[in-house]
């Protein structure tokens, strides 16, 4: 996994709550058996005026001028700012794959859906929870200041605004360590395989029907 | 110390714990074609083996056609869908995974076939690369959806890295009214706590109304725990659970059965166990529910109206509701029973089991779908559900009433196959998500129970099913 340490990134605002994973990456793109290449179809139904299907040349499709991420000032944003319960719905990891491929490494919201939140950490992305008020304040600043960037530092768990105001965020210590060092979860768990074997043997003795 | 059911299930699967993060052992891994190909590929690239192949049960369900399947997988017209189903077949063959292939009688929606086969058992940890894995919690199991990286992790290690969730008890006391179903209970709960209400929690559904539900009703309820934001929903084991499991192909037999039952009977929250949060509903207050918007929390009773902006809780919700009115083509204060529909979908991992089909057929019997209803689909949850329904003559009732009787799969719940809504079409659907574009780009979904969907098909608009029963 790619590590995440820090980012000074342009912020794009997506001002709605309950953005679901069907919106982030519509189902027709889930037919792919690959892990890469979902970026051009992130938010497909909001982003383009026509209907998207896998295999289309997305560079020629008509963009929806009303969709905020299509505005010139938010191009090449690395930080997505949004509202509560971001990533709700389906467990599709294609959602973080699409956002990462689009260019977002950090997502800031007042809350996230659990499965999506977890999936981000598996892909070198940092989802950050700030209070609804702090999120609201940042929305205000992003609207007011073109080229608004946030400085995100995982080691110090801080988000710093252009004016120097810092917000502290929480992150689980294990996840932080793995993300900073780009550690592969499976490799780490394999180091515990003796413990897994001991547990499995005990479990089988107690509930043999689970192993039929 | 008194423990909750969640604590018992979690604690009994901890392999190792460090700094509040646990490695938990997974008993059952369900696999489908959409979220597994990249996991098998990752396994291959890293030259890793599958840890315990007999923990896995695989089935294609999202992409399969619900029409004629006589040409087999080669007959799937969309080449990308076909490749995904073929890739599942190939991966299962390569690793020796048990798979119910597309034309196997036992094929169906992964969350229908697991319980149907007895592959879901009380006390298990169950995972699947699918958010509706919460369904299996109905058996007193710890079951939740995972992403593809975690699918690969479980394939390779039989474990998941987990932090303990908080616990939320949802108590539904009393007796549900006639025509009020588990689906209505689920939607009423989501209406009360919101789609983010369960974030960070595992939900245990309890109370006399829950005890009174059949296993299929409990599955419907736990299925929608994820729509309330909770990865896992569960119901304590009782005689209803044990009677359902007994005799199923993967269920324990003979002396193992007796030992299992003794253990399973301990799978309930202890008297006095503390939950982090408790929500209470009165069964008698719950009416047949209909969603009006683009999130399952945008829901009202059938005799209600599309809410007006005055009742939105804040600015963010006002914005969401305004977008929902526009997307759904509705205005505030429209009575629900004046909303006309174009299509009907009876199916999905929420509501495609035999009791769902019986309930819908009882409404449709001897009637016909309204002239404004262009298509009414019945998609059984599995080949075995379909066969049972046909044995009971339900297929004939549906066909005579103008419904189409299809082959099993996820179908128009998420429209990955050919079954979908066209832009602007409005659907009464027994599925679980009314998100924008979920059933087809521009499609408008209203979530209801099977009874309510059948009644809407006959009336051409939403109608209180209690007038029919």
């Amino acid at each position: 996994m790619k590590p995440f340490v820090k980012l000074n990134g342009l912020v794009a605002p997506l001002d709605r709550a309950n953005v679901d994973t069907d919106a982030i990456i519509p189902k027709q793109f889930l037919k792919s058996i690959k892990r890469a290449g979902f970026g051009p179809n992130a938010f497909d139904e909001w982003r383009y005026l026509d209907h998207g299907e896998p295999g289309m040349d997305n560079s020629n499709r008509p963009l929806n001028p009303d969709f905020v991420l299509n505005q010139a000032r938010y191009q090449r944003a690395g930080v997505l700012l949004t509202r509560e319960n971001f990533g709700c719905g389906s467990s599709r990891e294609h959602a973080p794959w699409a956002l990462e491929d689009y260019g977002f490494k950090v997502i800031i919201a007042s809350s996230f859906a659990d499965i999506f939140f977890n999936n981000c950490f598996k892909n070198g992305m940092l989802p950050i929870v700030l209070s609804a008020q702090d999120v609201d304040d940042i929305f205000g600043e992003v609207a007011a200041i073109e080229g608004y960037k946030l400085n995100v530092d995982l080691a110090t768990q801080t988000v710093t605004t252009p004016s120097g105001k810092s917000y502290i965020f929480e992150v689980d210590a294990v996840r932080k360590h793995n993300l900073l060092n780009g550690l592969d979860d499976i490799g780490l768990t394999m180091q515990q395989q003796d413990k897994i074997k001991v547990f499995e043997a005990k479990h089988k003795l107690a509930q043999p029907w689970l192993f039929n | 110390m008194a423990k909750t059911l969640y604590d018992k299930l979690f604690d009994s699967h901890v392999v190792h714990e460090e700094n509040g993060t646990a490695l938990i052992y997974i008993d059952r891994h369900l696999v489908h074609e959409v979220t597994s190909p990249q996991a098998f590929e990752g396994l291959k690239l890293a030259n890793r083996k599958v840890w315990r192949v007999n923990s896995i049960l695989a089935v294609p369900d999202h992409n399969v056609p619900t029409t004629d399947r006589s040409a087999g997988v080669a007959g799937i017209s969309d080449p990308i869908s076909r490749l995904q189903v073929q890739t599942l077949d190939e991966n299962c063959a390569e690793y020796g995974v048990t798979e119910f292939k597309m034309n196997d009688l036992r094929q169906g929606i992964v969350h229908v076939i697991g319980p149907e086969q007895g592959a879901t058992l009380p006390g298990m940890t169950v995972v699947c690369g699918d958010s509706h894995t919460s369904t299996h919690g109905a058996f007193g199991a710890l079951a939740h959806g995972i992403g593809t990286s975690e699918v690969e992790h479980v394939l390779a290690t039989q474990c998941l890295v987990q932090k303990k969730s908080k616990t939320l008890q949802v108590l539904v006391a009393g007796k549900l009214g006639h025509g009020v179903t588990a689906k209505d209970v689920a939607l009423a709960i989501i209406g009360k706590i919101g789609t983010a209400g369960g974030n960070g929690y595992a939900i245990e559904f309890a109370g006399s109304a829950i005890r009174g539900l059949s296993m299929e009703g409990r599955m419907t309820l736990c299925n929608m725990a994820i729509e309330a934001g909770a990865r896992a929903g569960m119901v304590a084991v009782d005689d209803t659970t044990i009677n359902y499991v007994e005799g199923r192909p993967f269920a324990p037999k003979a002396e193992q059965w007796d030992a299992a039952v003794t253990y399973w009977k301990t799978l309930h929250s202890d008297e006095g166990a503390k939950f982090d949060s408790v929500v209470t509903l009165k069964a008698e207050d719950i009416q047949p529910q209909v969603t009006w918007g683009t999130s399952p929390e945008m829901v009202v009773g059938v005799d209600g109206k599309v809410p007006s902006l005055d009742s939105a809780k804040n600015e963010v919700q006002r914005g969401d509701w305004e977008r929902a009115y526009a997307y759904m083509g509705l205005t505030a204060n429209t009575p629900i029973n004046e909303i006309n529909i174009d299509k009907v979908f009876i199916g999905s991992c929420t509501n495609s089991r035999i009791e769902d089909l019986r309930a819908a057929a009882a409404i449709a019997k001897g009637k016909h779908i309204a002239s404004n209803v262009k298509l009414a689909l019945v998609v059984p949850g599995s080949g075995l559900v379909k066969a049972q329904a046909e044995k009971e003559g339900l297929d004939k009732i549906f066909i005579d009433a103008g419904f189409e009787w299809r082959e099993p799969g996820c179908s128009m719940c998420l429209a990955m196959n050919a079954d979908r809504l066209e832009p602007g079409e409005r659907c009464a659907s027994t599925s679980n998500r009314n998100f924008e574009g979920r059933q087809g780009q521009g499609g408008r979904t209203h979530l209801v129970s099977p009874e309510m969907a059948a009644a809407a098909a006959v009336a051409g608009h939403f109608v209180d099913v209690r007038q029919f029963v």
Side-chain angles (χ1 to χ4, degrees), chain B residues 10 18 20 37 44 49 53 58 78 92 160 170-171 208 235 239 244 246 292 382 394 429 439 459:
Chain B
F10 190 96
E18 211 173 314
K44 250 169 264 183
K49 293 204 245 329
V53 77
D78 179 344
C92 289
L160 266 187
V170 176
L171 271 172
S208 47
V235 175
D239 288 344
Y244 179 95
E246 189 168 14
W292 60 267
S382 72
L394 305 184
S429 178
Q439 293 192 293

Side-chain angles (χ1 to χ4, degrees), chain A residues 120-141:
Chain A
C120 285
F121 286 98
K122 312 287 183 194
N123 292 285
M125 296 167 73
L126 178 62
I128 295 176
V129 177
L130 294 179
S131 74
Q133 184 59 58
D134 291 344
V135 167
D136 215 41
D137 291 347
I138 301 173
F139 264 108
E141 293 191 6

Side-chain angles (χ1 to χ4, degrees), chain B residues 151-338:
Chain B
V151 171
E152 185 180 338
H153 194 280
V154 176
L155 287 173
T157 69
Q158 209 59 39
C159 290
L160 266 187
V161 179
Q162 289 282 288
K163 277 183 95 73
K164 226 169 172 176
S165 301
K166 293 179 285 180
T167 52
L168 166 62
Q169 186 187 39
V170 176
L171 271 172
V172 189
K175 199 168 178 310
L176 294 174
H178 207 48
V180 180
T181 69
K183 180 65 162 287
D184 303 303
V185 176
L187 288 170
I189 292 167
I190 295 163
K192 186 176 171 99
I193 70 174
T195 50
N199 281 359
Y201 288 95
I203 298 179
E204 181 178 346
F205 300 100
S208 47
I210 307 301
R211 295 260 70 87
L213 291 175
S214 68
M215 283 315 294
E216 297 194 0
R218 293 177 193 182
M219 284 187 248
T220 299
L221 183 61
C222 291
N223 173 276
M224 292 198 67
I226 184 66
E227 264 46 79
R231 291 179 77 172
M234 64 197 76
V235 175
V237 173
D238 60 13
D239 288 344
T240 304
T241 324
I242 291 165
N243 292 339
Y244 179 95
V245 171
E246 189 168 14
R248 293 190 182 264
F250 286 66
K253 307 280 183 312
E255 67 274 17
Q256 273 194 6
W257 172 257
D258 297 328
V261 169
T262 305
Y263 171 60
W264 294 345
K265 287 190 167 170
T266 68
L267 297 175
H268 52 78
S269 290
D270 294 329
E271 188 80 36
K274 289 265 181 300
F275 290 84
D276 295 300
S277 189
V278 179
V279 170
T280 308
L281 281 84
K282 241 172 88 181
E284 290 78 5
D285 293 345
I286 301 173
Q287 294 186 33
Q289 304 281 304
V290 182
T291 65
W292 60 267
T294 53
S295 162
E297 70 182 22
M298 297 176 182
V299 64
V300 291
V302 63
D303 58 2
K305 294 174 178 177
V306 175
S308 68
L309 291 178
D310 320 333
S311 50
K313 67 180 179 195
N314 56 36
E315 275 307 306
V316 175
Q317 191 171 64
R318 281 174 73 94
D320 287 347
W321 285 12
E322 280 177 319
R323 272 189 294 270
Y325 296 153
Y327 182 85
M328 295 297 290
L330 292 171
T331 49
N333 298 316
T334 302
I336 293 296
N337 58 22
E338 288 178 12

Side-chain angles (χ1 to χ4, degrees), chain A residues 201-212:
Chain A
K202 234 173 44 191
H203 200 49
K204 190 171 179 177
L205 210 59
Q207 297 180 60
W209 56 86
L210 297 176
F211 295 80
N212 288 342

Side-chain angles (χ1 to χ4, degrees), chain A residues 7-8 22 25 141 159:
Chain A
L7 175 76
N8 186 35
D22 279 84
I25 183 81
E141 293 191 6
V159 173

Side-chain angles (χ1 to χ4, degrees), chain A residues 15-18 20-23 26-36 38 44-46 48-55 61 83-86 88-94 97 111-115 118-119 122-123 136 172-175 178 184-190 192-197 199-200 202-203 206-212, chain B residues 12-16 18-19 21 23 25 27 34-35 37-39 41 48 51-52 54 63 78 80-81 83-84 87 121 123-124 129-131 145-150 152-153 156-159 161 163 195-196 198-201 226-227 229 231 252 256 259-260 263-264 295 297 313 316 320 323 414-416 420 433 435-442:
Chain A
D15 195 358
R16 49 201 288 174
N18 299 313
D20 59 74
T21 53
D22 279 84
K27 84 287 272 137
Q28 61 269 37
F29 304 107
L30 273 52
K31 295 174 187 174
S32 167
I33 57 171
K34 304 251 176 292
R35 219 177 241 270
F38 295 100
D44 198 274
E45 291 185 5
W46 293 343
Y48 301 100
L49 292 171
D50 63 347
H51 174 73
E53 283 293 334
R61 296 175 58 198
R83 299 282 183 179
E84 69 165 7
N85 203 27
F86 186 81
C88 61
S90 152
S91 64
R92 59 188 72 166
E93 199 161 316
H94 312 68
W97 293 340
S111 68
F112 290 89
D114 293 345
I115 302 177
N118 196 41
N119 283 341
K122 312 287 183 194
N123 292 285
D136 215 41
D172 171 69
V174 176
R175 281 176 166 155
N178 293 356
D184 165 29
D185 270 4
I186 299 178
L188 290 174
T189 300
M190 290 305 274
Q192 309 285 342
Q193 56 179 307
D194 290 347
K195 289 195 179 101
I196 302 171
K197 284 178 184 157
F199 177 90
E200 194 168 51
K202 234 173 44 191
H203 200 49
Q207 297 180 60
W209 56 86
L210 297 176
F211 295 80
N212 288 342
Chain B
S12 63
H13 287 86
V14 173
V15 171
H16 176 67
E18 211 173 314
N19 304 323
T21 298
L23 198 59
Y25 188 83
D27 297 316
V34 179
T35 54
Q38 298 88 348
E41 185 191 32
R48 287 177 172 133
W51 183 281
R52 185 161 73 82
N54 75 352
N63 276 283
D78 179 344
I80 315 176
S81 285
L83 178 63
Q84 201 165 52
T87 303
L121 295 172
M124 272 184 166
D130 193 287
S131 60
I146 55 178
T148 297
S149 295
E150 288 185 320
E152 185 180 338
H153 194 280
T157 69
Q158 209 59 39
C159 290
V161 179
K163 277 183 95 73
T195 50
N199 281 359
Y201 288 95
I226 184 66
E227 264 46 79
R231 291 179 77 172
Q256 273 194 6
Y263 171 60
W264 294 345
S295 162
E297 70 182 22
K313 67 180 179 195
V316 175
D320 287 347
R323 272 189 294 270
L414 87 165
M416 264 187 90
R420 65 188 63 167
R433 292 187 175 135
F435 299 154
E436 286 184 24
R438 172 79 179 180
Q439 293 192 293
Q441 188 168 17

